[in-house]
Amino acid sequence: MPRFVRLLLSLLALLAWSAYVQGAPTYQALKFDGQFAPQMLNDLGQVAGIGQDGRPVIWNPDGSVMQLAGAVSQLTITGFNNQGTIVGNALLPGYNLQQPVMWRNGGAVERLPLQGLGGTTAGINNRGDIVGYMVGASDTGSGQVGFIQWGDGSAPQLFDNYAPLMVNDHGLVLGQVGGEYGLRSWQDGAFGASPYSDLFIRALNNEGRLAGWHDNYQAFSLIDRDGQRDIQDMWSGFAHAMNDPGSIVGETELSVHAMLWYQDRTYDLDHLWHDAQYSGWTLLNAWDINDSGAILASGIGSLGGSGTFLLSPVSEPQVVTLLLAGLLLLGARWLVQKRLPARLLSSSLLALFACTAYAQQAPAYRALKFDDQFAPKFLNDAGQVAGIGQDGKPMIWNPDGSLVHLAGVAGELTLTGFNNQGTIIGNISVPGSSQSQPVIWRNGGAMELLHFAGSNAYAAGLNNRGDIVGYSTGEAGSGPIGFIQWGDGSAQQLFNDYRPRLINDLGLVIGGRSDEFGARTWQDGVFGEYQLAYDFEVRALNSEGRLAGFQDNGNAFTLLMGDGQWQHQDLWSGYAYGINDAGSAVGEMADYRRAMLWHQGHPYVMDHVWNEEQYAGWFLQSAWDINASGQVLARAGSEWEARATFLLSPVPEPAQGVMLLAGLGLLGFARIRPGRRSA
């Protein structure tokens, strides 16, 4: 094989390897239907749950579902091991109290053979050891007893003042001593020296590592080493499950995001999966993880509805595909020895895999986090960001990272518009008065006051022609109530009963009349025939005339006038704040504060489309501006509830781009290098 080809093959292998050494795995998602409620996951990838009839079922990775036998009611599942044994608690015929039950290796229901009127199981390990608690037992003075039912069939370990709650595969137990706050360990007949009195423990692995949360709601991971507690705080919220490698899953406290702790880093799970059919779904809580890294998590859809997902770690499909393309190219060239069919095959494969790599429905984004120097407000098509500095004065951030400080503010400043020429408009409070004065920084220049007939004026919007719309809230008789100041310097358009709020580059205006509850358009001296219903709140307008906003019913929307009527599209449950000329809209989900993107007819949770190690624990809560290039301004929080603003910029996948170039290099080499001829 020629040396150059061998070098390219090495390059492809190196690129593939570098794609895999990422900080956390990516996941493919499977959403369970309503046939059963998933509860627990074992290391074989099986899922135990409760069917619609209230009985246990086991879902297998091939998609089959096994229904387990037994007359039970009010079932709760508390454990599921790698042998397919389920333990739980249920009412059985002939018993008045809840009973500890098991389905051994997928068999029929059995009551645990322990004395007592009733009881509960708390967990099971992979040896088959079961821990729990019985009541009404006649062989103890209190009538209560904790137990370990050993999987090898030996006599149960009974406790008269200890309730075991979890057990690992080495027989290490955590449980509750009566009258004691916190859990205490037990192993081989000996109790631990002291309880974990300040911790809520929810998981225990075979290393002896614990996971849960502090009483101040900080998720933690902990292990005792030589009598010293090695504790690691992970995120603000709750940890629910842990596997033997030490990966932990749970949720945040306030904003309700499913979280993953992986190799000493915190990750928002929404960063790690992106499936077009579930693009508008977001994960709220993860409660189980197996040793392969598969995760059970709950989520909600963009327009409501809930579901349970099985997330399975996978290799990057595009990287594998492109590597395979390179290998096939090399094989084709080697076997056919540079004849025309080989070149055609190479060209076809490259084109096919390049299209596959780039035919994603939503762009991937890189993120830039702004520091505290200023508060970003608007984004223009040149990639500039207008905001307010710590001194209360306007600033412009440029894509090269430089900041331009603009001068001249007399009172409290609000910004209301920013165009592609770098012009900023806003409003300041008049000193000594509650009135507002509209102001402008033209093309990044000095501040100017905007003047028009009326009092207590407000500049509301600006387009790329320099046209400015606004209105007055002054008393009746003080002058016209609305205005358009044209960017070409021609006479102002004044209205005595109309308040313009938005204007696009074609002069289409959205505003409202004082005697109407809904918005109405105006253009070229003519009011629109169709007023919007009162429950449509319009927040953005693009050059096509498409509106974006939200309704009182809680749905974000876009609207476009066509064939004499408004064409309506629901986007997601929540709010839309910005739209670009391509029709991509941004906003937020209502119930759980997720930044949302509408792109080419689909809603996307924005955390799905960006994933950077340095921001692994951050999640986007709201997006309010998007420019023609698809750049987005969004607000975010971290696992420690910090706040920041991000500029998200769409980029091609770097591994795909490099591999495509490598493939093109191979093709070029195959075309131009002369073949060796036999003597």
Side-chain angles (χ1 to χ4, degrees):
M1 183 178 292
R3 182 181 178 186
F4 182 71
V5 176
R6 291 198 300 270
L7 288 174
L8 282 175
L9 179 58
S10 300
L11 175 62
L12 285 168
L14 177 63
L15 289 169
W17 171 252
S18 66
Y20 282 99
V21 290
Q22 53 186 355
T26 57
Y27 290 87
Q28 67 181 8
L30 183 148
K31 181 174 169 290
F32 292 104
D33 57 24
Q35 293 183 21
F36 78 110
Q39 305 287 308
M40 293 188 174
L41 175 67
N42 69 14
D43 295 332
L44 303 180
Q46 296 175 304
V47 176
I50 301 176
Q52 292 178 333
D53 60 0
R55 299 179 183 182
V57 300
I58 295 177
W59 176 91
N60 295 303
D62 63 4
S64 63
V65 176
M66 179 170 57
Q67 298 179 327
L68 305 186
V72 298
S73 61
Q74 299 183 28
L75 171 65
T76 57
I77 293 176
T78 58
F80 182 44
N81 71 9
N82 291 344
Q83 285 68 51
T85 294
I86 294 176
V87 298
N89 309 292
L91 288 180
L92 296 174
Y95 291 89
N96 294 322
L97 297 178
Q98 189 178 60
Q99 301 298 314
V101 294
M102 68 184 297
W103 285 262
R104 195 188 311 270
N105 303 337
V109 65
E110 306 172 34
R111 181 188 182 276
L112 266 62
L114 295 165
Q115 293 185 5
L117 299 178
T120 62
T121 63
I124 185 172
N125 65 15
N126 288 314
R127 303 190 312 191
D129 307 329
I130 303 170
V131 295
Y133 184 77
M134 298 295 293
V135 297
S138 59
D139 56 348
T140 64
S142 65
Q144 301 174 348
V145 62
F147 68 84
I148 307 173
Q149 177 80 32
W150 300 109
D152 61 8
S154 57
Q157 172 70 48
L158 302 178
F159 305 90
D160 62 0
N161 193 33
Y162 184 66
L165 296 177
M166 57 192 75
V167 59
N168 72 9
D169 292 347
H170 302 300
L172 175 63
V173 176
L174 289 177
Q176 181 79 53
V177 174
E180 192 172 73
Y181 186 75
L183 301 187
R184 188 186 288 268
S185 66
W186 179 95
Q187 190 172 25
D188 299 329
F191 285 99
S194 62
Y196 300 96
S197 57
D198 56 339
L199 303 172
F200 296 91
I201 300 169
R202 289 296 181 268
L204 166 68
N205 72 3
N206 286 329
E207 184 190 12
R209 184 174 294 276
L210 317 178
W213 61 89
H214 300 273
D215 53 10
N216 65 350
Y217 305 117
Q218 293 291 329
F220 72 85
S221 167
L222 178 151
I223 191 167
D224 278 330
R225 300 185 189 277
D226 300 324
Q228 299 294 318
R229 293 184 180 181
D230 180 3
I231 192 165
Q232 174 68 62
D233 288 333
M234 298 180 295
W235 61 79
S236 178
F238 313 96
H240 297 308
M242 174 173 50
N243 63 13
D244 283 344
S247 296
I248 298 168
V249 293
E251 65 184 293
T252 57
E253 177 190 0
L254 299 176
S255 52
V256 196
H257 285 253
M259 302 296 287
L260 169 68
W261 177 260
Y262 180 83
Q263 296 184 354
D264 296 328
R265 290 293 304 274
T266 297
Y267 293 87
D268 174 3
L269 266 173
D270 271 336
H271 284 311
L272 304 178
W273 71 294
H274 179 203
D275 189 318
Q277 63 180 320
Y278 305 127
S279 63
W281 285 80
T282 182
L283 301 177
L284 305 179
N285 175 32
W287 71 85
D288 205 3
I289 182 170
N290 68 10
D291 285 352
S292 299
I295 295 169
L296 281 178
S298 62
I300 60 168
S302 58
L303 288 172
S306 60
T308 299
F309 288 83
L310 175 63
L311 302 177
S312 301
V314 293
S315 56
E316 286 289 343
Q318 288 93 350
V319 174
V320 173
T321 300
L322 289 171
L323 178 60
L324 179 61
L327 294 174
L328 288 174
L329 281 170
L330 290 172
R333 185 182 184 279
W334 182 252
L335 292 174
V336 189
Q337 298 182 350
K338 304 185 297 300
R339 293 179 182 175
L340 181 60
R343 292 198 293 270
L344 289 175
L345 176 61
S346 300
S347 302
S348 301
L349 284 171
L350 279 170
L352 174 62
F353 288 114
C355 290
T356 301
Y358 286 93
Q360 50 188 3
Q361 289 196 30
Y365 286 87
R366 70 170 184 267
L368 182 147
K369 184 166 77 71
F370 290 105
D371 57 24
D372 295 329
Q373 294 183 37
F374 81 121
K377 300 296 184 182
F378 290 96
L379 172 67
N380 69 14
D381 293 338
Q384 296 175 304
V385 177
I388 300 177
Q390 292 177 333
D391 59 0
K393 297 180 179 181
M395 301 173 66
I396 295 176
W397 176 92
N398 293 305
D400 62 5
S402 62
L403 287 169
V404 178
H405 297 257
L406 305 183
V409 174
E412 184 176 349
L413 171 66
T414 58
L415 300 186
T416 57
F418 182 45
N419 71 10
N420 292 343
Q421 287 69 51
T423 294
I424 295 175
I425 62 167
N427 302 281
I428 60 173
S429 59
V430 177
S433 170
S434 60
Q435 292 190 340
S436 171
Q437 174 69 53
V439 291
I440 183 172
W441 287 263
R442 202 180 306 274
N443 303 337
M447 185 182 81
E448 307 170 32
L449 298 180
L450 290 173
H451 298 284
F452 76 101
S455 63
N456 197 25
Y458 183 84
L462 169 72
N463 66 14
N464 288 314
R465 302 190 312 192
D467 307 328
I468 301 169
V469 296
Y471 53 88
S472 167
T473 59
E475 298 179 357
S478 63
I481 197 169
F483 72 90
I484 305 174
Q485 179 161 310
W486 301 108
D488 62 7
S490 56
Q492 292 180 346
Q493 172 70 47
L494 301 177
F495 304 91
N496 61 12
D497 191 27
Y498 185 65
R499 293 185 178 185
R501 294 176 179 269
L502 302 168
I503 184 169
N504 71 7
D505 292 345
L506 302 179
L508 176 65
V509 176
I510 296 291
R513 290 177 173 172
S514 59
D515 60 345
E516 293 178 344
F517 289 104
R520 188 180 289 273
T521 63
W522 180 94
Q523 189 171 25
D524 298 330
V526 179
F527 284 102
E529 181 179 356
Y530 300 100
Q531 161 202 356
L532 285 178
Y534 71 93
D535 61 336
F536 284 82
E537 175 70 22
V538 179
R539 289 299 181 88
L541 166 68
N542 71 7
S543 292
E544 182 189 15
R546 188 176 296 275
L547 318 178
F550 49 89
Q551 287 182 265
D552 288 353
N553 66 3
N555 284 344
F557 67 81
T558 64
L559 288 170
L560 181 67
M561 177 61 69
D563 299 326
Q565 60 183 359
W566 290 106
Q567 299 172 358
H568 175 260
Q569 174 69 64
D570 282 332
L571 309 182
W572 57 77
S573 178
Y575 313 97
Y577 300 128
I579 190 169
N580 65 13
D581 285 346
S584 295
V586 294
E588 66 182 271
M589 189 180 290
D591 292 334
Y592 294 98
R593 296 298 309 277
R594 301 293 198 272
M596 298 294 292
L597 167 70
W598 180 263
H599 179 78
Q600 295 183 357
H602 296 278
Y604 293 87
V605 176
M606 289 212 70
D607 280 332
H608 287 327
V609 293
W610 74 298
N611 178 21
E612 295 182 65
E613 280 294 305
Q614 61 180 322
Y615 304 127
W618 287 82
F619 31 83
L620 301 176
Q621 298 171 317
S622 179
W624 67 88
D625 205 1
I626 182 170
N627 68 11
S629 301
Q631 290 180 293
V632 177
L633 279 179
R635 186 173 297 107
S638 76
E639 72 270 21
W640 300 111
E641 298 302 321
R643 295 288 181 269
T645 299
F646 284 81
L647 174 64
L648 301 174
S649 300
V651 292
E653 290 290 340
Q656 294 172 349
V658 175
M659 286 203 169
L660 182 60
L661 288 176
L664 291 173
L666 279 172
L667 179 60
F669 173 81
R671 289 176 58 88
I672 65 175
R673 176 167 176 160
R676 296 179 180 176
R677 299 181 182 272
S678 58

